Amino acid sequence: MNASNATRQKLVIAVDGPSGSGKSSISREAARRLGFNFLDTGAMYRMITYYLSSNGIENESEIEKAISTKEIDFGVSINPDEVQFKLNGEDVSKIIRSELISKKVSYYASLRQVRNFLVGKQRKLINESSKSIVIEGRDIGSVVIPDADLKIYVTASEEIRALRRSKELNSSIDQVLIDQKIRDEKDSKREISPLIKPENSIELDTSSLTFEESVTSFIGLVQNV
């Protein structure tokens, strides 16, 4: 399929992979160039982590109550040219990327109530998209949209991922590597929706690729659908 055909037919592209693989920036840029919508599901988990942790809500019964009483109003843009996430009307796009939230998100993301709540919202956004959409996260091709038109698993070596993350955070690569291994283990071994390479997915290893090469490879996979 060529680029013009890809933009005319509504496609659903599922993107999974570990942190530091480049999946967020690569898939967002690819979506922008293809004229697709884009959904960053990781940001949604960060949003709910920010809300619950800021309000001291940690145990599962309190979380269930907060979710069931509809106290949490999500505003998520699926326009790849916008980086805007609103929580109860507040723009939290920057604060949800803090290291503090990064350290807490695995706990909240492992809870059934949280995942069920967000998967429902994610599917609604996908269904309501007026055009093709790229969705990235850690359980997209396996849980959220297993019947996606294309599943891409973006990965990279542990060392490359840690190097990228350390530059982003301006932190020690040794500490980032330790934190990364802990996060990977939690994500891959959690009981609910663990991080896996989805069945029938195509692997895109970005270890030796530049950002531009990664985006070009990603677009090539989409155009071959």
Side-chain angles (χ1 to χ4, degrees):
M1 175 181 293
N2 60 39
S4 60
N5 286 338
T7 55
R8 283 198 298 268
Q9 177 187 345
K10 182 177 176 179
L11 298 175
V12 176
I13 312 300
V15 184
D16 292 287
S19 61
S21 61
K23 68 181 187 299
S24 296
S25 55
I26 292 166
S27 53
R28 179 188 295 276
E29 179 60 18
R32 187 188 68 77
R33 296 186 192 183
L34 287 163
F36 290 5
N37 280 331
F38 173 77
L39 177 58
D40 177 355
T41 66
M44 297 177 74
Y45 283 99
R46 287 173 174 272
M47 289 169 74
I48 201 167
T49 296
Y50 171 66
Y51 175 83
L52 295 172
S53 62
S54 295
N55 287 280
I57 302 173
E58 294 185 356
N59 70 57
E60 296 188 37
S61 61
E62 291 177 333
I63 291 171
E64 182 70 39
K65 180 181 178 181
I67 292 173
S68 63
T69 53
K70 303 185 187 304
E71 297 175 0
I72 309 170
D73 177 31
F74 278 84
V76 180
S77 172
I78 57 173
N79 182 339
D81 290 321
E82 298 176 0
V83 184
Q84 188 177 63
F85 302 97
K86 289 187 176 181
L87 184 61
N88 294 337
E90 175 191 0
D91 187 346
V92 294
S93 301
K94 292 183 178 179
I95 195 168
I96 62 173
R97 302 295 180 184
S98 70
E99 191 61 21
L100 180 62
I101 298 301
S102 295
K103 290 181 177 180
K104 293 183 176 182
V105 69
S106 286
Y107 166 69
Y108 288 103
S110 70
L111 303 178
R112 186 178 301 277
Q113 302 98 317
V114 171
R115 299 205 75 86
N116 288 344
F117 175 71
L118 290 184
V119 167
K121 288 189 172 295
Q122 290 157 13
R123 287 174 176 163
K124 185 172 186 291
L125 287 166
I126 294 167
N127 290 333
E128 292 178 349
S129 177
S130 61
K131 55 185 177 180
S132 296
I133 184 169
V134 175
I135 312 98
E136 71 91 3
R138 285 179 171 79
D139 65 344
I140 309 305
S142 56
V143 175
V144 178
I145 188 78
D147 58 347
D149 296 291
L150 173 65
K151 302 177 188 179
I152 302 176
Y153 188 77
V154 182
T155 189
S157 68
E158 279 192 353
E159 294 75 15
I160 292 295
R161 290 165 50 214
L163 178 61
R164 291 170 178 168
R165 188 71 173 154
S166 66
K167 288 180 178 179
E168 179 184 335
L169 299 173
N170 195 27
S171 303
S172 161
I173 187 171
D174 292 335
Q175 185 57 51
V176 170
L177 189 56
I178 292 172
D179 294 341
Q180 176 179 280
K181 287 181 177 180
I182 293 172
R183 177 80 184 274
D184 285 349
E185 184 172 12
K186 287 181 178 178
D187 287 346
S188 61
K189 293 186 177 180
R190 66 184 175 220
E191 182 180 349
I192 304 168
S193 300
L195 169 64
I196 61 172
K197 181 180 178 182
E199 185 178 358
N200 300 322
S201 63
I202 298 174
E203 182 172 303
L204 175 57
D205 191 328
T206 66
S207 300
S208 60
L209 300 179
T210 65
F211 177 71
E212 184 62 30
E213 289 170 338
S214 298
V215 173
T216 299
S217 296
F218 187 108
I219 291 175
L221 293 174
V222 175
Q223 292 175 339
N224 285 326
V225 174

